[in-house]
Amino acid sequence: TYASRSLGYMGLSMYESIVPGDPTHRSMSGQLSGLTLPSAETGKTYHWILSMNAAQELMIKLLYPVPANSHRFIHERIDSLSNAVFTEYSKDINPEIVNRSVEFGEAIAQTIYNWSVTDGGDKGYTRNFDPNFAFPTGDSYWIAPARGQTISPFPLHPHWGGNRTFV
């Protein structure tokens, strides 16, 4: 559940970080419940791969922060890939265009992340099982098996259906 939520926000960030460069597509800004995104500067040149790279790097790190007293291995791998893409695609590009592109991608990611924390699923990985969940009872309701597929007798994210959707 948390992973699928994260994939949705990462995909949206990727799309929104490049959509201004494609006249055949529209931004989702204003179309998704409560989401208003920054706009690219009209008449300015952007490098959309650099924009998407910056958006994706920031979004992954925001959705999957390194816990305190933990190894940064995953974030080091993210940095390595992001730096490789940045190095390859920023060659011979005007530094002003590079900076504008990276700043736009980061602004998109930060805005989408800020929106994501209001959906009810933020940091859902910290509360996978609710020990206070009261199972509904009746003939048509599921009953936990005595020996299930997990050591937890509680359902995974039982309140997930109450989270805000994209639309």
Side-chain angles (χ1 to χ4, degrees):
T1 50
Y2 188 80
S4 59
R5 173 188 179 273
S6 296
L7 289 171
Y9 286 116
M10 286 187 279
L12 180 61
S13 295
M14 291 173 69
Y15 177 80
E16 290 297 337
S17 67
I18 63 172
V19 75
D22 185 346
T24 64
H25 290 80
R26 282 183 42 193
S27 172
M28 300 302 292
S29 184
Q31 297 185 66
L32 300 182
S33 180
L35 179 64
T36 303
L37 293 167
S39 299
E41 293 181 62
T42 305
K44 299 281 186 168
T45 301
Y46 289 80
H47 192 288
W48 299 114
I49 293 173
L50 293 174
S51 177
M52 183 171 68
N53 184 55
Q56 198 62 359
E57 176 188 10
L58 181 57
M59 183 58 78
I60 292 171
K61 288 178 176 179
L62 290 170
L63 290 170
Y64 293 98
V66 175
N69 302 319
S70 179
H71 192 280
R72 284 189 31 85
F73 174 74
I74 299 298
H75 281 212
E76 289 167 0
R77 303 295 287 179
I78 295 165
D79 290 341
S80 176
L81 177 59
S82 179
N83 290 337
V85 171
F86 179 85
T87 300
E88 178 66 27
Y89 287 96
S90 63
K91 289 179 187 173
D92 304 320
I93 303 291
N94 180 325
E96 195 174 294
I97 294 170
V98 170
N99 291 337
R100 181 172 35 255
S101 302
V102 168
E103 288 171 5
F104 179 71
E106 289 174 346
I108 289 292
Q110 189 65 60
T111 302
I112 291 173
Y113 177 75
N114 292 345
W115 178 64
S116 82
V117 301
T118 67
D119 73 356
D122 183 44
K123 296 184 182 41
Y125 54 84
T126 64
R127 54 187 188 285
N128 291 322
F129 302 100
D130 179 358
N132 299 314
F133 180 74
F135 285 90
T137 58
D139 292 338
S140 63
Y141 291 101
W142 176 80
I143 299 170
R147 293 182 174 219
Q149 296 176 340
T150 179
I151 60 170
S152 175
F154 306 106
L156 177 64
H157 295 296
H159 310 289
W160 205 257
N163 292 352
R164 182 199 64 229
T165 62
F166 273 24
V167 291

